[in-house]
Amino acid sequence: MAVPAAAMGPSALGQSGPGSMAPWCSVTSGPTRYVLGMQELFRGHSKTREFPAHSAKVHSVAWSCDGRRLASGSFDKTASVFLLEKDRLVKENNYRGHGDSVDQLCWHPSNPDLFVTASGDKTIRIWDVRTTKCIATVNTKGENINICWSPDGQTIAVGNKDDVVTFIDAKTHRSKAEEQFKFEVNEISWNNDNNMFFLTNGNGCINILSYPELKPVQSINAHPSNCICIKFDPMGKYFATGSADALVSLWDVDELVCVRCFSRLDWPVRTLSFSHDGKMLASASEDHFIDIAEVETGSDHLSEPQSAHLQNGNSHSHLSKSLCGQGNTL
């Protein structure tokens, strides 16, 4: 399906090069053998289960780097960790200590025992599942809404409601740098090489900074409306962005050119996730399904039903486990 001209940015005017939408930004017609195989697999393993997790709505979920644990953060001011056992999730522990909503969390990129939570109480907390205790509390200047851990595990970046991003040393738990932005910052992420820092913003742009210098490298006009979320694939070849225009854009990391768009959702795209091998991309919105596509062709794998609307990746107080398995966890 061709991309609407309004979403094509500079290429709509015949421009090309880094930061432009490529003229081949479309979905390849016809399912590949890989897609057909995965569709058959999903049809046989598409049951949805719900697991009680919190007393209020869930704001964030994330898998540990080894795929064995799923953590969730909630409006009830707590985080929970579930252990994956065969085809079910078993609640391992509940983590208390924040004085306000846990808006986002993420795991250490290589240590499956550590995760960090960002809260509206103006702190972040680092937790160790082996002791079930908070091993560090770091005070920040504002109400925190997004967080990410650098690929080398050395730094944690946290963004607040005032569009300030603070970089915290993961060992000393002290601030290394702080950047105030003049635009609405949505999601933040390092690239896989750890040498660039990406931000999606309310103007539909992707802002790229060098790291650790934090000098502006480029601003890409990615979408005609609010650019909400960003995710890098595990192979380091692509990254994807989701927008209020209901489109998901796939970008070449090296060329910074959009190579494909996915347009099966009707509502703003709130969350994205690649499979472990980078071959599949899941995207979700307030639509009642999760779109799962083959990255290289854009072909639809499966429209997996979801039990609740998503708002910034949020669901209700139960966790819905729709796609989960060894090596194919989304």
Side-chain angles (χ1 to χ4, degrees):
M1 183 178 296
V3 181
M8 294 185 69
S11 69
L13 302 175
Q15 299 175 16
S16 60
S20 65
M21 303 285 273
W24 58 87
C25 186
S26 60
V27 175
T28 303
S29 61
T32 64
R33 183 178 300 178
Y34 175 79
V35 170
L36 294 174
M38 294 307 299
Q39 287 175 339
E40 184 65 28
L41 177 65
F42 286 141
R43 276 192 287 268
H45 301 82
S46 60
K47 293 181 180 179
T48 301
R49 299 182 184 181
E50 290 188 355
F51 298 84
H54 296 275
S55 61
K57 65 179 181 179
V58 176
H59 279 182
S60 180
V61 292
W63 290 99
S64 59
C65 62
D66 61 0
R68 295 185 63 242
R69 288 182 171 90
L70 180 70
S72 59
S74 169
F75 186 74
D76 68 7
K77 307 176 186 178
T78 73
S80 293
V81 171
F82 288 77
L83 190 65
L84 179 62
E85 293 185 355
K86 294 183 179 179
D87 63 344
R88 65 193 182 105
L89 290 170
V90 177
K91 193 169 185 178
E92 191 174 53
N93 280 298
N94 192 245
Y95 297 82
R96 300 180 182 275
H98 279 298
D100 204 341
S101 170
V102 177
D103 285 328
Q104 199 171 47
L105 54 79
C106 65
W107 291 85
H108 189 287
S110 57
N111 185 338
D113 297 321
L114 299 179
F115 70 97
V116 62
T117 51
S119 172
D121 65 5
K122 300 183 180 181
T123 70
I124 68 166
R125 288 175 177 254
I126 303 174
W127 309 85
D128 191 327
V129 299
R130 294 166 295 187
T131 63
T132 70
K133 294 181 180 180
C134 174
I135 61 174
T137 300
V138 182
N139 293 312
T140 60
K141 292 183 177 180
E143 298 178 42
N144 302 309
I145 56 175
N146 47 45
I147 196 165
C148 62
W149 212 315
S150 64
D152 63 5
Q154 300 299 310
T155 310
I156 296 167
V158 57
N160 67 30
K161 289 183 177 180
D162 298 320
D163 303 313
V164 175
V165 178
T166 304
F167 296 84
I168 298 166
D169 189 300
K171 291 183 178 179
T172 65
H173 309 137
R174 295 180 179 178
S175 174
K176 298 166 62 175
E178 186 177 276
E179 289 289 323
Q180 170 74 65
F181 294 94
K182 296 180 180 179
F183 49 77
E184 175 189 323
V185 176
N186 289 323
E187 277 201 347
I188 53 178
S189 178
W190 275 273
N191 65 339
N192 294 24
D193 291 333
N194 213 97
N195 61 4
M196 289 194 291
F197 192 75
F198 288 64
L199 309 93
T200 58
N201 75 33
N203 299 321
C205 297
I206 305 166
N207 290 84
I208 307 171
L209 307 179
S210 62
Y211 188 81
E213 300 84 6
L214 299 177
K215 300 297 182 184
V217 173
Q218 190 167 348
S219 178
I220 301 172
N221 293 317
H223 293 268
S225 57
N226 195 344
C227 190
I228 298 171
C229 50
I230 185 168
K231 186 69 69 174
F232 282 80
D233 90 84
M235 304 295 107
K237 185 177 181 181
Y238 299 116
F239 67 91
T241 56
S243 170
D245 61 12
L247 290 177
V248 175
S249 299
L250 185 72
W251 299 78
D252 183 287
V253 169
D254 295 326
E255 301 295 330
L256 296 179
V257 169
C258 180
V259 297
R260 192 158 295 109
C261 288
F262 309 90
S263 57
R264 284 181 288 268
L265 297 173
D266 293 323
W267 293 85
V269 182
R270 301 290 184 182
T271 187
L272 301 164
S273 182
F274 282 94
S275 60
H276 78 291
D277 55 7
K279 291 184 178 181
M280 294 182 289
L281 174 62
S283 52
S285 65
E286 294 170 51
D287 292 274
H288 285 281
F289 65 92
I290 298 171
D291 183 71
I292 305 169
E294 183 179 28
V295 169
E296 291 295 344
T297 66
S299 295
D300 184 20
H301 276 317
L302 180 73
S303 293
E304 180 68 18
Q306 64 184 32
S307 57
H309 288 311
L310 295 183
Q311 181 66 27
N312 292 328
N314 307 342
S315 183
H316 50 36
S317 60
H318 289 61
L319 294 179
S320 177
K321 183 170 82 74
S322 57
L323 290 173
C324 181
Q326 296 299 321
N328 285 316
T329 298
L330 292 176

